Amino acid sequence: MRLIRLRRKKERPKFWSEFRIIPGWLMGLVAVLYVIALVVAIAVNLSFRNNPNGNDMFPGEFRDNPAIASLALAGVVTAISLLIALMLFMLGYVNQDAKRRGMNSTLWTLLVLILTPVQGGIIGFIVYLLVRDPLPYPCPRCAQPVGPRFNFCPNCKCNLYPSCPNCKKEIAETDKFCPYCATDLKNGEPAAIISAEHSA
């Protein structure tokens, strides 16, 4: 069986697949809060339509036209809601992503939350993206998830980093000769089998 060196494969996350790990209940909560904020803002704005002085919330042409004032208010509420939603989605993403990587999700969520007043939380989010652990991957032999820093599978002892039997440097599963010392690797037999034979 050929050993696929997945740990060297760089992650290329796609936006929508990563966006899906944000909890659905958080997206629903943000949508409900947005609708409530919009309804309250428009209701308060329309309550001024019977005011003899007009709408004191907006100057000029908005003062005597509650429809235009409502549209303007809806735009303001939407802009503020987008910023708040972005911060909440960022916290939800960090929490769920840290869990699936085996990191302390509470600690990282709190760190991003504490840094939210600084540059809108972007600094904490960027720090998380830079230092987060790689994703676990399936063992090429038994398909059980293994940590990205594991050298051997804890389930089947598969050597996740095969090495040359002579110089002990890491080799690829397709190498016929060691690129460091030119040791014959048995005509390109899978490196996992070579490693197993020499460890026995």
Side-chain angles (χ1 to χ4, degrees):
M1 179 172 48
R2 292 167 65 90
L3 180 62
I4 303 170
R5 288 161 58 183
L6 295 170
R7 295 204 308 186
R8 287 203 167 177
K9 184 179 178 183
K10 289 188 177 179
E11 289 183 35
R12 291 191 176 94
K14 295 182 180 176
F15 175 78
W16 289 114
S17 62
E18 292 295 298
F19 187 77
R20 284 191 204 104
I21 72 169
I22 298 172
W25 64 265
L26 181 59
M27 293 185 194
L29 178 65
V30 167
V32 168
L33 290 176
Y34 168 68
V35 171
I36 290 173
L38 203 58
V39 168
V40 168
I42 292 175
V44 168
N45 178 62
L46 292 178
S47 68
F48 284 97
R49 69 179 181 270
N50 296 324
N51 188 348
N53 297 325
N55 191 341
D56 295 331
M57 295 175 64
F58 293 97
E61 67 273 5
F62 295 114
R63 188 180 298 275
D64 300 321
N65 195 334
I68 296 177
S70 295
L71 285 174
L73 195 57
V76 171
V77 169
T78 301
I80 294 171
S81 298
L82 284 174
L83 290 174
I84 294 172
L86 180 64
M87 286 188 283
L88 290 175
F89 288 163
M90 192 168 48
L91 290 171
Y93 175 81
V94 167
N95 185 274
Q96 295 300 309
D97 189 58
K99 279 181 187 174
R100 71 177 178 164
R101 293 172 188 271
M103 300 167 65
N104 190 333
S105 59
T106 306
L107 178 68
W108 279 106
T109 306
L110 284 174
L111 178 67
V112 175
L113 182 63
I114 289 169
L115 293 176
T116 295
V118 183
Q119 299 292 325
I122 297 297
I123 289 179
F125 188 65
I126 290 173
V127 168
Y128 170 74
L129 292 178
L130 290 175
V131 303
R132 66 182 178 175
D133 290 339
L135 282 169
Y137 62 93
C139 169
R141 182 179 295 166
C142 67
Q144 291 295 318
V146 291
R149 292 182 177 22
F150 290 0
N151 289 326
F152 292 89
C153 173
N155 187 55
C156 68
K157 281 180 66 174
C158 175
N159 187 357
L160 302 172
Y161 270 112
S163 59
C164 170
N166 184 40
C167 67
K168 306 300 181 199
K169 291 190 177 179
E170 187 181 352
I171 57 174
E173 66 276 7
T174 54
D175 291 342
K176 294 183 179 181
F177 297 93
C178 175
Y180 304 101
C181 67
T183 299
D184 186 3
L185 299 176
K186 297 193 178 179
N187 298 322
E189 282 186 37
I193 296 174
I194 297 169
S195 177
E197 287 175 357
H198 286 275
S199 63

